[in-house]
Amino acid sequence: MLESYVTPILMSYVNRYIKNLKPSDLQLSLWGGDVVLSKLELKLDVLEQELKLPFTFLSGHIHELRIHVPWTKLGSEPVVITINTMECILKLKDGIQDDHESCGSNSTNRSATENTKSSVKPRRIQQAAPTDPDLPPGYVQSLIRRVVNNVNIVINNLILKYVEDDIVLSVNITSAECYTVDELWDRAFMDISATDLVLRKVINFSDCTVCLDKRNASGKIEFYQDPLLYKCSFRTRLHFTYDNLNSKMPSVIKIHTLVESLKLSITDQQLPMFIRIMQLGIALYYGEIGNFKDVETEDSACHNKDMLGNITGAEDETRIDMQYPAQYKGQELYSQQDEEQPQGWVSWAWSFVPAIVSYDDGEEDYTGNDSTLTIHQQKVQTLKDPIVSVGFYCTKATVTFKLTEMQAESSSYYSPQKVKSKEVLCWEQEGTTIEALMMGDPFFDCQIGFVGCRAMCLKGIMGVKDFEENMNRSETEASFFICGENLSTKGLTYLTNSLFDYRSPENNGTRAEFILDAAHHKETYTEIAGMQRFGAFYMDYLYTMESTSGKGSANQQDFSTGKNEDLGTVQEKSTKTLVVGPLDFRLDSSSVHRILKMIVCALEHEYEPYSRLKPEIKDENETILNPEEVASLEEYIPTRHTSVTLLKCTCTIFMAEFNLLDCLLPVIIGGKNSSNFMNTANFQSLRPLPSIQILVDKINLEHSVPMYAEHLVHVVSSLTQPSDNLLHYCYVHCYLKIFGFQAGLTSLDVSGSYCLPVPIIPSFSTALYGKFLKFPTCWTKRSQIVITEGIFELPNLTIQATRAQTLLLQAIYQSWSHIGNVSSSAVNEILMNEVFQNIASWHKQVLGIIQTAASVSSPDF
């Protein structure tokens, strides 16, 4: 009977994650075709161990679970699992904030779960079910694979909450559905075959709402803020490619998500909490808090997981046992606790790589059997790392910043107050792409880009109604930052080679090719290529780890033996390239006050930092390296290199039309708390409005720093005569180059047009180089070591200005340095005419000469 083969699979998943289930009742319900379970509690310890997240579950409930099994049509209709109302509450693990507490507070639950995990782990199907002579083993395996590959999962009303300090972050998804599709991404009952070794799935998310609120000391939310994200729908496409029908894991995995419209809203009270959550992600990435990596290592024995219809992650036996040169190992240079090491995060993320068949699907049950466990580990180690591509694409995104104020609902004193928000700033972005490509730990690449963006002023700020509806100001005046191109003119280049691109290889029946070589990658993904695809912003972060043993890129099986002499030296490289396209930045009173107000709001919090800078302590136990170790150290020192390039920048600094900086700057500087002062004077736009316009053809910043600076400096500083090469890598190096810098005076008239600029500083180029010694306290015995060094290159510089132009420059400066509203009499008409009339007449004369010369030189026919 098919029931005897399929039922144990479904029962194992349900029993693994849900408490207090009676297998006998569940089995009888499954044989009837439908199961309905209500008011279920999740096994939180099992979820923590299998998800390997740096969070702990405070609670987890399922209101209703339905399982529908079409026994009569099991080979043509999917099994449907429906979850109605699932709620989970998470918080940061205690060990993340308190070094060793994570293993202390949950050690009992973890150890108990580790002891009982084998009991809930499903054994091999042939052992759990009786042998049926009418069903050949090949048919059973094929049928089970078809059933697993076509399981439909529907979740209605998914609620996730994260709590920390006074922060409550909640995510509510009205509906999420995962199902199998065909080559046109339409719902279908599919399976991999010898001619088409591809499995496709789609996950649709409907009405996703994200809220960020503040709770009081008792844990209650007094005032609910506007949602960060309100009823946003998006879809995800999953594409798995296999080498053959018997493959344990896909060789290529693509998971791409597309959002048509993303509208975010952030209030002044939410901004500090939002930044706090972003800092948490960064701190976890760099391993700057707690012992997350240690906890992960200790729990590695329980790393098996079966997710989404027997889609499982890689075993921890495939984790890389990092091998490094002896001179580094002596100083623990590549210790997992190093705060600059990215491998911990990559290994953690790599644990979520899915597979269709579990690794524990062996011929024997290897639990408790040393010989079979050894065979299992050897089999796991021979598995090849799949190529994983993860992408997020957004057609149009909008971020609105709001200021809030408390208002009573009625005139009564005892009436409850409500939060009223007012939009003051808006950021619009088109054609956004975030892509990550990885193959095990040795290769990781992340590319981010967008086609165009702009920032706009909305309504009023600090009592100044500069952009209220009755002001009738144009959209051009409201936009103070513009970069890149429009999506209508650029096209859908941001979707290139994604699963949503009809031209991609996967959508045309061919296998995609990936660039996994660092040299080839840099030749292909250049700054020019990035700007051609996006136009506004492009970032490429590449991390590679290669072995010098001549085997090319290191892989997981290379590191599993633990023999350093067979592998040679591991060479790590980290490069970041950022390019910003042509941009126009306008700094006027409206934009400056809104930007500074956002900074003030971001600083108004009392959160403790996740990590603090370590004091520079000189290691008294110095290790003296022998000449061979020094020579090996000089061969290669890993560094992080960053390059930032700005192309065609235009920055216009207008005369201040109003100035309330005395309420903002003291908070930013740290002098006092923010003031609730509101300006009550009516805003009057000043036209013509003089300004300083700065144009730069190109700005390039190069920055390099040793990847493991602290340990490297301890090693090199202990040498009696370190070479110049070793000393070079003990510094942070910065190189700033500016090309085509020029500045002039211009003015904005009533129609929104600029007059011809008056040159003040003609075009010139300059360069600045500086280096800074890392951990200077380690060099106390070497007074001759240079701490800081700088070189400034300026071939030529010319500044030219008449008396009238100097007075106008002084007036622009005073408008920002003096507090209050700027009177229109500060810049009289005579001064403006004297500055700009002469240049206008000069341009007319030049234009007349050119026209005359053209008419004389043109031949008569």
Side-chain angles (χ1 to χ4, degrees):
M1 296 291 292
L2 289 177
E3 292 87 343
S4 60
Y5 290 91
V6 178
T7 300
I9 300 177
L10 299 177
M11 289 177 57
S12 64
Y13 295 138
V14 176
N15 189 43
R16 175 177 297 186
Y17 301 110
I18 297 177
K19 292 182 179 179
N20 304 325
L21 282 182
K22 294 182 179 179
S24 57
D25 296 341
L26 181 62
Q27 182 173 356
L28 291 175
S29 300
L30 280 175
W31 286 357
D34 290 281
V35 176
V36 180
L37 304 173
S38 301
K39 297 181 180 180
L40 305 175
E41 290 189 13
L42 298 174
K43 294 181 179 178
L44 305 181
D45 48 359
V46 176
L47 289 175
E48 289 182 26
Q49 291 175 4
E50 297 197 358
L51 292 178
K52 291 295 179 183
L53 293 173
F55 306 101
T56 183
F57 285 85
L58 298 179
S59 65
H61 305 280
I62 293 179
H63 177 70
E64 184 182 72
L65 172 64
R66 292 178 175 268
I67 303 177
H68 172 70
V69 183
W71 293 113
T72 59
K73 300 180 180 180
L74 201 57
S76 59
E77 291 187 6
V79 174
V80 180
I81 301 175
T82 304
I83 299 175
N84 294 320
T85 307
M86 176 179 177
E87 181 176 1
C88 295
I89 302 178
L90 304 90
K91 76 178 186 70
L92 199 62
K93 280 186 177 179
D94 295 336
I96 298 296
Q97 298 172 340
D98 204 339
D99 283 341
H100 302 283
E101 201 170 323
S102 64
C103 296
S105 61
N106 296 326
S107 58
T108 304
N109 293 336
R110 290 185 182 279
S111 60
T113 305
E114 290 175 359
N115 294 333
T116 59
K117 187 172 179 62
S118 58
S119 63
V120 299
K121 183 189 300 183
R123 294 175 179 264
R124 187 167 174 83
I125 297 172
Q126 284 82 350
Q127 297 175 355
T131 303
D132 192 334
D134 296 333
L135 297 175
Y139 171 76
V140 173
Q141 294 178 2
S142 175
L143 178 62
I144 291 176
R145 186 183 65 212
R146 288 175 60 85
V147 171
V148 170
N149 289 344
N150 289 275
V151 171
N152 284 13
I153 299 179
V154 181
I155 302 178
N156 297 316
N157 194 22
L158 173 62
I159 303 173
L160 301 175
K161 292 183 179 180
Y162 170 75
V163 293
E164 178 194 350
D165 297 331
D166 60 348
I167 299 174
V168 179
L169 175 67
S170 60
V171 179
N172 189 309
I173 300 176
T174 302
S175 176
E177 183 179 9
C178 176
Y179 53 89
T180 307
V181 295
D182 56 17
E183 62 275 4
L184 298 178
W185 300 100
D186 295 325
R187 188 190 297 264
F189 194 92
M190 304 294 295
D191 192 16
I192 60 175
S193 62
T195 57
D196 187 16
L197 298 170
V198 171
L199 181 65
R200 303 173 182 86
K201 287 182 176 289
V202 166
I203 306 178
N204 290 329
F205 298 89
S206 300
D207 295 343
C208 176
T209 300
V210 181
C211 297
L212 186 60
D213 298 291
K214 180 178 292 188
R215 60 178 181 173
N216 56 22
S218 61
K220 296 182 179 180
I221 301 174
E222 297 179 354
F223 308 104
Y224 287 94
Q225 303 288 325
D226 293 343
L228 284 179
L229 182 67
Y230 184 67
K231 290 189 176 181
C232 176
S233 299
F234 51 94
R235 61 186 185 274
T236 299
R237 291 180 175 179
L238 300 91
H239 190 280
F240 305 97
T241 304
Y242 298 84
D243 289 333
N244 53 67
L245 290 175
N246 299 321
S247 297
K248 293 288 185 181
M249 288 186 65
S251 58
V252 179
I253 302 171
K254 269 194 171 185
I255 306 174
H256 292 174
T257 300
L258 175 64
V259 181
E260 295 291 345
S261 178
L262 186 68
K263 296 182 179 180
L264 297 175
S265 171
I266 302 178
T267 65
D268 51 354
Q269 298 183 29
Q270 291 173 330
L271 185 59
M273 298 186 287
F274 183 77
I275 296 176
R276 175 72 169 176
I277 293 175
M278 292 176 53
Q279 291 174 344
L280 171 62
I282 296 174
L284 290 174
Y285 176 85
Y286 286 105
E288 294 176 347
I289 55 178
N291 285 341
F292 171 51
K293 297 172 189 175
D294 297 338
V295 174
E296 176 187 3
T297 305
E298 293 170 7
D299 295 338
S300 61
C302 300
H303 191 51
N304 271 344
K305 56 185 176 296
D306 294 79
M307 301 172 59
L308 196 58
N310 206 24
I311 296 180
T312 64
E315 294 269 292
D316 258 356
E317 286 85 358
T318 62
R319 286 176 53 87
I320 294 181
D321 183 15
M322 307 295 292
Q323 304 295 326
Y324 298 101
Q327 70 273 16
Y328 286 121
K329 294 176 67 176
Q331 296 291 329
E332 296 182 352
L333 185 56
Y334 296 90
S335 172
Q336 287 187 351
Q337 286 81 8
D338 196 309
E339 63 180 7
E340 296 180 332
Q341 183 180 3
Q343 283 81 5
W345 176 85
V346 175
S347 298
W348 168 72
W350 190 249
S351 66
F352 290 94
V353 173
I356 294 301
V357 181
S358 301
Y359 290 141
D360 56 358
D361 188 22
E363 291 299 331
E364 299 89 12
D365 184 8
Y366 57 83
T367 303
N369 190 322
D370 294 338
S371 60
T372 55
L373 179 60
T374 303
I375 297 174
H376 169 74
Q377 291 176 341
Q378 293 176 352
K379 182 171 64 174
V380 168
Q381 292 172 358
T382 60
L383 292 174
K384 183 181 178 182
D385 290 329
I387 300 172
V388 180
S389 172
V390 181
F392 174 83
Y393 308 90
C394 180
T395 304
K396 185 174 182 179
T398 303
V399 182
T400 304
F401 179 68
K402 302 178 180 179
L403 295 180
T404 58
E405 58 181 2
M406 304 301 299
Q407 287 187 348
E409 294 184 354
S410 64
S411 58
S412 175
Y413 177 80
Y414 298 99
S415 298
Q417 290 184 322
K418 63 180 299 185
V419 178
K420 182 180 179 181
S421 59
K422 181 178 66 174
E423 302 174 349
V424 296
L425 187 64
C426 178
W427 175 276
E428 295 180 351
Q429 190 168 297
E430 292 184 324
T432 303
T433 295
I434 303 176
E435 294 176 333
L437 178 66
M438 63 188 81
M439 189 183 70
D441 282 3
F443 184 91
F444 177 82
D445 177 66
C446 178
Q447 297 186 21
I448 302 175
F450 50 85
V451 173
C453 65
R454 68 170 181 171
M456 300 175 58
C457 298
L458 301 176
K459 297 186 177 181
I461 182 73
M462 301 177 67
V464 180
K465 301 179 180 180
D466 49 350
F467 281 96
E468 294 288 351
E469 295 179 358
N470 56 1
M471 295 299 297
N472 296 324
R473 302 186 68 177
S474 64
E475 189 175 297
T476 303
E477 291 181 286
S479 302
F480 65 89
F481 183 87
I482 301 175
C483 182
E485 308 175 36
N486 294 325
L487 198 60
S488 57
T489 58
K490 189 70 173 180
L492 302 178
T493 54
Y494 72 101
L495 293 176
T496 300
N497 287 332
S498 72
L499 296 178
F500 299 94
D501 180 13
Y502 69 93
R503 301 164 298 181
S504 67
E506 291 84 358
N507 290 331
N508 288 274
T510 59
R511 187 160 182 165
E513 296 182 0
F514 299 92
I515 299 176
L516 302 173
D517 177 71
H520 191 193
H521 178 94
K522 293 179 180 179
E523 293 176 358
T524 304
Y525 299 103
T526 61
E527 296 180 359
I528 297 177
M531 283 292 98
Q532 288 177 348
R533 181 182 178 185
F534 298 106
F537 174 80
Y538 171 69
M539 188 205 79
D540 181 26
Y541 168 71
L542 176 64
Y543 171 83
T544 58
M545 181 170 57
E546 298 179 353
S547 172
T548 59
S549 59
K551 297 181 181 180
S553 298
N555 50 40
Q556 290 183 359
Q557 51 265 37
D558 290 334
F559 291 90
S560 59
T561 60
K563 297 180 179 180
N564 187 43
E565 59 270 14
D566 297 335
L567 299 172
T569 303
V570 173
Q571 296 185 353
E572 296 177 86
K573 298 179 182 178
S574 174
T575 58
K576 289 188 286 290
T577 303
L578 295 90
V579 187
V580 180
L583 62 90
D584 185 3
F585 194 17
R586 297 161 41 117
L587 290 174
D588 54 12
S589 295
S590 300
S591 61
V592 169
H593 283 78
R594 282 167 170 81
I595 295 173
L596 294 181
K597 182 62 176 177
M598 287 186 61
I599 297 175
V600 169
C601 294
L603 295 175
E604 290 184 333
H605 65 82
E606 298 180 355
Y607 299 125
E608 292 292 332
Y610 285 109
S611 61
R612 298 182 182 274
L613 294 177
K614 298 179 181 178
E616 297 181 9
I617 302 176
K618 174 65 176 178
D619 188 5
E620 299 296 337
N621 300 323
E622 296 179 351
T623 302
I624 306 301
L625 304 183
N626 57 47
E628 292 77 12
E629 293 173 334
V630 174
S632 177
L633 177 63
E634 290 206 48
E635 288 182 2
Y636 185 82
I637 298 177
T639 58
R640 303 182 188 274
H641 183 267
T642 303
S643 174
V644 182
T645 304
L646 279 70
L647 304 173
K648 296 294 182 182
C649 304
T650 301
C651 180
T652 306
I653 305 174
F654 291 91
M655 174 179 285
E657 298 176 272
F658 61 91
N659 190 342
L660 304 175
L661 299 182
D662 60 330
C663 302
L664 302 174
L665 291 180
V667 182
I668 299 176
I669 298 174
K672 64 175 184 178
N673 295 330
S674 61
S675 172
N676 294 325
F677 169 77
M678 301 294 287
N679 182 55
T680 57
N682 293 328
F683 173 78
Q684 297 291 335
S685 60
L686 180 63
R687 295 293 183 273
L689 184 62
S691 62
I692 303 172
Q693 192 174 73
I694 301 173
L695 289 85
V696 183
D697 290 338
K698 182 179 180 180
I699 301 176
N700 180 252
L701 174 64
E702 304 283 341
H703 178 272
S704 64
V705 61
M707 191 173 291
Y708 306 98
E710 181 177 359
H711 300 288
L712 176 65
V713 169
H714 281 300
V715 171
V716 178
S717 62
S718 64
L719 301 178
T720 55
Q721 291 183 344
S723 64
D724 293 339
N725 181 53
L726 291 178
L727 289 176
H728 174 83
Y729 285 99
C730 293
Y731 287 85
V732 176
H733 300 270
C734 297
Y735 198 177
L736 175 64
K737 293 176 283 186
I738 302 176
F739 303 94
F741 182 98
Q742 55 183 316
L745 285 169
T746 184
S747 67
L748 184 67
D749 59 20
V750 179
S751 62
S753 303
Y754 291 96
C755 72
L756 296 173
V758 179
I760 299 297
I761 303 178
S763 179
F764 74 96
S765 299
T766 184
L768 175 64
Y769 167 77
K771 67 177 184 179
F772 313 93
L773 184 65
K774 296 287 292 183
F775 303 99
T777 56
C778 296
W779 305 87
T780 53
K781 297 180 181 180
R782 300 177 181 274
S783 58
Q784 73 279 11
I785 294 294
V786 178
I787 303 298
T788 304
E789 180 179 334
I791 302 175
F792 180 64
E793 298 179 4
L794 183 62
N796 59 76
L797 174 63
T798 302
I799 301 177
Q800 54 189 23
T802 63
R803 181 179 180 276
Q805 295 167 0
T806 304
L807 292 175
L808 185 58
L809 289 172
Q810 183 181 6
I812 295 175
Y813 167 76
Q814 290 179 347
S815 69
W816 289 103
S817 60
H818 292 73
I819 306 303
N821 291 326
V822 179
S823 173
S824 59
S825 60
V827 181
N828 55 52
E829 185 177 353
I830 298 176
L831 179 60
M832 295 290 292
N833 291 336
E834 187 174 352
V835 172
F836 297 105
Q837 193 66 33
N838 294 335
I839 191 68
S841 61
W842 180 81
H843 276 280
K844 289 181 180 179
Q845 293 177 4
V846 173
L847 183 60
I849 294 174
I850 295 175
Q851 291 176 348
T852 303
S855 61
V856 171
S857 60
S858 59
D860 297 331
F861 292 97

